[in-house]
Amino acid sequence: EVQLVQSGAEVKKPGESLKISCKGSGYSFTSYWIGWVRQMPGKGLEWMGIIYPGDSDTRYSPSFQGQVTISADKSISTAYLQWSSLKASDTAMYYCARIRGSGKFDYWGQGTLVTVSS
Amino acid sequence: DIQMTQSPSTLSASVGDRVTITCRASQSISSWLAWYQQKPGKAPKLLIYKASSLESGVPSRFSGSGSGTEFTLTISSLQPDDFATYYCQQYNSYWGAFGQGTKVEIK
């Protein structure tokens, strides 16, 4: 069974750093792209960027380029999303999802809620 | 960047109604379009891909059509479990963007 299990909710202060994770199981982790999607409170889905764990090829939406870093450790089948300096506007639910074919998300993690507040 | 626009933003309907949601792309995306359903507090679920292909396990009352810049998601007979928010997503060569969503509410 394909599963993506994300790390737990985080509460951080502005300016702090953060790295959240997404562990894949039940399939060949290095053979599928993984994407990250943001959902701000009460808002829609935003495509942030993707990574191919096989070679760490990474692509970012222009809206998120320079704001976050996507990485992966194929030895432990885990993808990451990280911030070096959080802002209050980073408060959101973040989902990872597996990509099948050329870009559709077929399996999703349960989401990680990030709250940034002073 | 390709922009995706859904209409309507909110739709009120009754059980048994036929429901249609439209998604327009700012430029041609061929058939590289997916539809997702999201319920409150849950991750989205893939319903339709490549504009009209039904994902495995998704009820046949869901269907998709269109190509180029205009696409539709149709629910042939709305069921209680279908009240949710629906998103379209364009994808091509591993780039993607979502529409703003359509909330289907109980009338």
Side-chain angles (χ1 to χ4, degrees):
Chain A
E1 179 196 6
V2 174
Q3 282 194 309
L4 294 171
V5 179
Q6 297 185 230
S7 49
E10 301 274 1
V11 179
K12 292 289 191 178
K13 292 183 172 15
E16 292 185 332
S17 63
L18 176 64
K19 191 174 189 176
I20 63 175
S21 66
C22 169
K23 183 173 177 60
S25 62
Y27 73 100
S28 174
F29 187 74
T30 54
S31 300
Y32 291 81
W33 291 78
I34 290 276
W36 287 94
V37 175
R38 183 174 80 174
Q39 188 165 39
M40 299 177 76
K43 301 298 183 185
L45 305 173
E46 298 175 89
W47 192 98
M48 300 178 70
I50 58 175
I51 187 165
Y52 189 71
D55 62 6
S56 292
D57 185 8
T58 309
R59 304 175 189 186
Y60 294 91
S61 162
S63 301
F64 292 93
Q65 178 84 48
Q67 307 305 307
V68 297
T69 301
I70 295 171
S71 61
D73 184 340
K74 61 185 179 182
S75 70
I76 55 171
S77 300
T78 301
Y80 301 97
L81 178 66
Q82 70 180 89
W83 296 259
S84 58
S85 181
L86 286 160
K87 310 185 225 0
S89 57
D90 293 318
T91 294
M93 181 72 81
Y94 294 87
Y95 294 101
C96 66
R98 191 184 80 162
I99 291 175
R100 192 178 83 226
S102 57
K104 57 194 173 288
F105 296 113
D106 65 346
Y107 285 91
W108 293 69
Q110 81 277 19
T112 296
L113 180 62
V114 174
T115 303
V116 184
S117 174
S118 55
Chain B
D1 294 358
I2 298 175
Q3 309 296 323
M4 308 301 294
T5 305
Q6 286 182 235
S7 60
S9 296
T10 306
L11 186 161
S12 296
S14 302
V15 172
D17 284 354
R18 182 181 180 88
V19 165
T20 299
I21 299 168
T22 298
C23 178
R24 289 187 175 87
S26 59
Q27 63 190 72
S28 178
I29 57 170
S30 184
S31 295
W32 300 115
L33 187 97
W35 289 98
Y36 301 86
Q37 176 193 68
Q38 188 181 32
K39 296 182 179 178
K42 299 293 187 182
K45 173 187 173 184
L46 178 64
L47 300 176
I48 301 281
Y49 62 94
K50 210 170 180 187
S52 61
S53 296
L54 194 67
E55 177 69 352
S56 176
V58 173
S60 59
R61 63 181 179 272
F62 291 93
S63 64
S65 65
S67 66
T69 61
E70 187 150 338
F71 303 85
T72 59
L73 172 71
T74 300
I75 309 172
S76 60
S77 177
L78 198 65
Q79 299 301 300
D81 191 47
D82 301 338
F83 292 97
T85 301
Y86 294 85
Y87 294 92
C88 63
Q89 180 217 355
Q90 70 87 8
Y91 61 95
N92 188 21
S93 299
Y94 301 97
W95 290 100
F98 291 95
Q100 80 276 20
T102 295
K103 186 175 183 180
V104 177
E105 297 182 327
I106 300 173
K107 194 171 187 179

